[in-house]
Amino acid sequence: MRLRNKPWAKDKIEQHPQYIVPNPVDFKGRWHEAFEKAQPLHIEVGTGKGRFITEMAKAHPDINYIGIELYDSVIVAALDRLIEADLPNLKLLNVNAADLAKYFAKNDVARVYLNFSDPWPKVRHEKRRLTYKDFLKLYEDIMMDGGEIHFKTDNQSLFEYSLMSFSQYGLLLKFLSLDLHKSDYEGNIMTEYEQKFSEKGNRIYRCEVKYQNEQ
């Protein structure tokens, strides 16, 4: 998808350090200090315009959330949502997901959400997929033992690839739906893409996997 350039976006981001953390490396290993309460931390990698992470933070005030988005022109939409909601348990990071280890230490994160990630369908781009083995290792390195990944997509090929990648990595499958909106799953919060794709009749795939590294 082609992104519309918003030259004012960076200035707006810098004007709201209470919502988009300007120096996330400062909180590595102590993210509880960035929030009003010390609570389990869940992150969304590729938060887009922020609908999912904002609604999750509203629905679960006993959990702290961080939405991670690389593109300035996209994260400002999530910023607008957060300014309006003014949630004490939600922050945003304008950083590259490939650099997560710079900003999070082992045991910082309890859960990672991957929602409608770029499928990178060409074989030569496999390493860019957020469910590629190198990313799975990256998530493991910042998560608590037994941490979870919750994954949603409308792309069947990416979902099949991801299930294979999770299995090969040794992750435990906890939940699987091949048609989420026709299942009995409760508490689903839709992303912008999810609503758009489901209204077109696209099937939504979802799974939950867990790292089997408890001591």
Side-chain angles (χ1 to χ4, degrees):
M1 184 180 70
R2 195 170 188 177
L3 296 175
R4 182 181 299 174
N5 183 39
K6 298 178 181 177
W8 47 265
K10 188 170 292 293
D11 286 341
K12 183 168 183 175
I13 290 168
E14 292 175 353
Q15 290 166 9
H16 294 89
Q18 71 275 39
Y19 298 122
I20 300 184
V21 182
N23 296 301
V25 68
D26 293 343
F27 291 99
K28 183 175 181 177
R30 53 188 187 93
W31 274 102
H32 59 279
E33 296 179 14
F35 296 90
E36 288 187 1
K37 297 180 182 178
Q39 303 179 140
L41 177 62
H42 295 181
I43 68 173
E44 183 185 20
V45 179
T47 206
K49 296 180 179 179
R51 174 177 174 177
F52 174 84
I53 202 74
T54 302
E55 295 303 316
M56 287 293 286
K58 289 179 182 177
H60 304 283
D62 56 335
I63 297 171
N64 291 330
Y65 291 90
I66 293 177
I68 297 166
E69 176 57 49
L70 173 62
Y71 298 106
D72 297 355
S73 57
V74 177
I75 202 171
V76 287
L79 174 59
D80 285 338
R81 286 184 182 273
L82 182 48
I83 291 171
E84 181 179 355
D86 194 27
L87 299 165
N89 62 326
L90 175 59
K91 302 289 183 182
L92 300 172
L93 297 188
N94 185 205
V95 300
N96 192 326
D99 297 327
L100 287 178
K102 293 181 181 180
Y103 312 115
F104 298 94
K106 179 65 177 174
N107 296 320
D108 273 349
V109 178
R111 183 177 299 172
V112 171
Y113 292 99
L114 303 174
N115 293 314
F116 299 87
S117 309
D118 192 325
W120 292 107
K122 295 180 180 178
V123 174
R124 69 176 184 270
H125 292 153
E126 178 187 9
K127 292 182 179 181
R128 298 185 184 185
R129 298 171 192 163
L130 293 181
T131 53
Y132 180 66
K133 62 182 180 179
D134 288 1
F135 277 104
L136 300 184
K137 177 64 166 63
L138 182 58
Y139 309 144
E140 182 178 21
D141 288 345
I142 66 173
M143 272 206 269
M144 303 171 65
D145 289 344
E148 298 181 0
I149 298 172
H150 290 197
F151 175 60
K152 280 198 291 187
T153 183
D154 73 315
N155 187 297
Q156 182 178 348
S157 296
L158 177 62
F159 194 69
E160 292 172 350
Y161 168 85
S162 300
L163 289 176
M164 179 184 67
S165 183
F166 294 151
S167 177
Q168 291 176 345
Y169 197 85
L171 291 161
L172 175 67
L173 182 64
K174 290 186 58 187
F175 174 87
L176 174 68
S177 176
L178 302 180
D179 196 347
L180 180 62
H181 292 186
K182 291 185 179 179
S183 73
D184 58 0
Y185 179 80
E186 297 181 358
N188 181 54
I189 289 177
M190 288 200 291
T191 74
E192 292 89 353
Y193 279 125
E194 183 173 355
Q195 181 170 353
K196 175 182 176 181
F197 294 147
S198 63
E199 287 176 352
K200 290 182 177 180
N202 294 23
R203 182 181 295 186
I204 305 301
Y205 303 89
R206 186 180 187 277
C207 70
E208 299 174 8
V209 292
K210 179 179 180 179
Y211 286 93
Q212 302 184 77
N213 51 4
E214 292 98 337
Q215 300 299 315

